[in-house]
């Protein structure tokens, strides 16, 4: 085993920096369940301002804030519409069904992105036999859809269409700030077309935990009750909210660097025989492996032996993720190691041809 590890499995592997830890140690705190944690209150107010919504509630994780959003919009027996690759439908352990009695109707979009043409005809009639179509979920940036930025025109069309038909729209913005940096649009501009938005602080923003859900006062009132029911209401949560405030100040603009490193990595592997890489839009690089070479789990195992961690994202697909704990030298070195692993072969290694595939 080499004495180094270039970890491209996820932007969730980042560790809080000394500056972030210092901000956490200094945080003013109170009992958040009584609304008395000044740092949480400051974070919630700032997120309302940045994302352009009336109200906000801090949550433990992106999964939790998504599920709070679903509960805020839906009743048991409702269904939500979501792209087939959606995190909410695939990687939240059946949360909508378990926590809110909501079924997910998955639709085939393009690279995880929906448009009105995908949604048309999917609202069920008001009829005792049918579930009530209530919510549309969009993911920005898409995760397993390819790390893509939702075109603002799609969001505008979906938002308008949803309002016309009495549906709500929730944006799973776990990587919203990657979309902000990649598109050059403001967060408020992107969020204007949807009702609620969740953002994850523990992805590219580098926090140990934490998420925010924003929306209208009524929606967030209901979401706050859901947070309590889901066991996510906290006491001196200012310690973690301080990390989020620090991240919003220091770690947003630098996401650009992650995107550049993703492009550099993609460019460095595109000529490897048997590897087919998609041009990345953000910090996620997806590439497919020719079957003759072996499968993604086998390549992942081989890379691990050589000090590079990249997770399979499908039987023949890998997902490499850049983040604040890897730099340009690291990703280029990882690309060299990948080339060498492919050249020397990996089909002999143990590696299941089925999941679990990349989630975070
Ligand atoms: C990571 C992620 C989440 C939330 O994940 P947590 O691990 O619960 O914070 C939600 N949606 C998407 C698209 C994600 O990538």
């Amino acid at each position: 085993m080499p004495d180094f590890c270039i970890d491209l499995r996820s932007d969730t592997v980042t560790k809080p920096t000394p500056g972030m830890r210092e901000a956490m140690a200094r945080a003013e705190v109170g009992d958040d369940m009584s609304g008395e944690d000044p740092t949480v209150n400051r974070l919630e107010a700032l997120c309302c301002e940045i994302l352009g919504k009336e109200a906000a509630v801090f949550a433990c994780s992106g999964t939790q804030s998504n599920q709070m959003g679903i509960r805020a919009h839906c009743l048991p027996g409702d269904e939500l519409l979501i792209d087939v690759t959606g995190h909410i439908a695939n990687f939240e352990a059946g949360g909508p069904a378990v926590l809110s009695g909501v079924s997910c109707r998955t639709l085939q979009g393009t690279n995880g992105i929906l448009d009105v043409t995908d949604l048309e005809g999917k609202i069920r009639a008001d009829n005792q036999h049918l579930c009530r179509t209530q919510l549309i979920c969009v993911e920005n940036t898409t995760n397993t859809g390819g790390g893509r930025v939702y075109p603002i025109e799609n969001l505008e069309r979906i938002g308008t269409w949803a309002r016309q038909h009495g549906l709500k729209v929730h944006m799973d913005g776990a990587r919203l700030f990657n979309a902000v940096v990649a598109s050059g649009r403001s967060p408020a501009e992107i969020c204007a077309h949807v009702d609620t938005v969740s953002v994850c602080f523990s992805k590219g923003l580098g926090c140990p935990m934490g998420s925010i859900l924003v929306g209208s006062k009524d929606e967030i009132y209901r979401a706050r009750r859901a947070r309590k029911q889901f066991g996510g209401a906290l006491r001196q949560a200012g310690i973690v909210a301080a990390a989020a405030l620090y991240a919003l100040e220091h770690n947003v603009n630098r996401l650009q660097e992650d995107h550049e490193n993703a492009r550099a990595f993609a460019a460095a592997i595109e000529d490897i025989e048997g590897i087919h890489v998609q041009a990345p839009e953000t910090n996620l690089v997806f590439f497919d492996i020719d079957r003759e070479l072996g499968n993604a789990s086998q390549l992942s195992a081989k890379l691990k032996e050589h000090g590079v961690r990249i997770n399979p994202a499908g039987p023949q697909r890998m997902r490499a993720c850049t983040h604040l704990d890897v730099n340009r030298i690291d990703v280029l070195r990882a690309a060299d190691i990948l080339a060498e692993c492919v050249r020397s072969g990996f089909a002999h290694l143990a590696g299941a041809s089925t999941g679990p595939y990349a989630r975070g």
Side-chain angles (χ1 to χ4, degrees):
M1 276 286 183
D3 60 354
F4 64 92
C5 175
I6 304 170
D7 198 340
L8 304 177
R9 284 174 299 173
S10 177
D11 39 13
T12 58
V13 301
T14 57
K15 302 210 174 115
T17 56
M20 181 177 280
R21 283 172 180 267
E22 206 178 298
M24 295 172 78
R26 275 201 319 265
E28 256 189 280
V29 297
D31 188 347
D32 180 47
M33 245 186 264
S34 314
E36 291 172 8
D37 189 295
T39 309
V40 171
N41 292 345
R42 203 146 55 82
L43 175 67
E44 290 176 347
L46 179 66
C47 288
C48 286
E49 196 185 310
I50 295 176
L51 304 174
K53 299 291 178 201
E54 259 179 11
V57 56
F58 185 60
C60 299
S61 69
T63 296
Q64 189 172 66
S65 56
N66 278 335
Q67 296 302 326
M68 287 156 52
I70 291 164
R71 175 68 78 84
H73 291 301
C74 298
L75 292 171
D78 286 357
E79 77 175 347
L80 62 81
L81 304 177
I82 187 167
D83 180 83
V84 67
T85 65
H87 194 277
I88 287 171
N90 291 282
F91 303 114
E92 302 193 4
V98 174
L99 300 171
S100 299
V102 170
S103 50
C104 294
R105 187 174 182 191
T106 54
L107 307 176
Q108 185 68 53
T110 308
N111 298 321
I113 290 169
L114 296 172
D115 206 339
V116 167
T117 46
D118 304 310
L119 298 163
E120 275 165 349
K122 301 301 192 300
I123 301 176
R124 296 183 199 266
D126 184 6
N127 177 316
Q128 65 174 335
H129 298 286
L130 307 174
C131 47
R132 188 178 70 136
T133 312
Q134 170 64 9
L135 179 66
I136 300 165
C137 292
V138 294
E139 192 170 299
N140 195 15
T141 62
T142 63
N143 180 346
T144 51
R148 305 300 176 104
V149 178
Y150 238 90
I152 196 90
E153 297 79 16
N154 291 48
L155 293 175
E156 191 174 353
R157 281 193 290 270
I158 290 171
T160 304
W161 187 82
R163 270 192 302 282
Q164 278 166 0
H165 294 89
L167 268 56
K168 298 291 178 185
V169 185
H170 171 72
M171 182 187 282
D172 175 353
R175 295 190 179 83
L176 178 72
F177 285 99
N178 292 90
V180 166
V181 166
S183 68
R185 292 184 187 274
S186 76
E189 214 179 332
I190 296 170
C191 298
H193 306 293
V194 303
D195 298 285
T196 50
V197 182
S198 64
V199 178
C200 208
F201 296 116
S202 61
K203 296 274 167 76
L205 297 181
C207 296
M209 62 175 284
S211 171
I212 199 95
L213 179 75
V214 298
S216 72
K217 281 201 175 104
D218 283 352
E219 286 155 354
I220 298 307
Y221 179 83
R222 293 195 293 276
R224 207 174 271 283
R225 184 188 293 268
R227 181 181 71 161
K228 178 69 184 176
Q229 290 173 337
F230 299 166
L234 301 172
R235 302 296 183 182
Q236 285 72 33
I239 291 192
V240 272
L245 283 165
Y246 181 92
L248 287 172
E249 192 177 332
H250 295 94
N251 293 350
V252 172
N253 292 335
R254 65 150 307 285
L255 290 170
Q256 189 63 47
E257 239 174 88
D258 297 343
H259 298 180
E260 285 160 12
N261 287 337
R263 283 194 288 273
F265 179 75
I269 66 168
E270 75 182 350
D271 291 333
I272 302 175
E273 194 100 21
I275 296 283
H276 309 280
V277 63
Q278 292 173 10
E281 288 183 15
T282 58
N283 66 327
L284 303 177
V285 184
F286 287 81
F287 56 95
D288 295 311
I289 310 151
D290 281 350
R291 267 170 220 286
E292 305 80 78
L293 294 178
N295 66 41
S297 299
Q298 290 168 325
L299 179 54
S300 183
K302 172 111 181 192
L303 286 166
K304 187 178 174 187
E305 283 177 8
H306 291 82
V308 173
R309 304 297 307 274
I310 301 177
N311 276 341
Q316 298 301 130
R317 175 165 289 198
M318 308 276 284
R319 189 196 75 171
C321 178
T322 58
H323 51 76
L324 93 166
D325 288 357
V326 291
N327 60 27
R328 181 65 61 95
I329 294 166
D330 295 327
V331 299
L332 294 180
R333 189 173 183 198
D336 284 345
I337 293 167
L338 173 61
E340 180 52 28
C341 286
V342 171
R343 201 197 55 75
S344 58
F346 53 86
H348 59 285
L349 290 176
S353 59
T354 57
Y357 298 126
R359 302 160 298 272

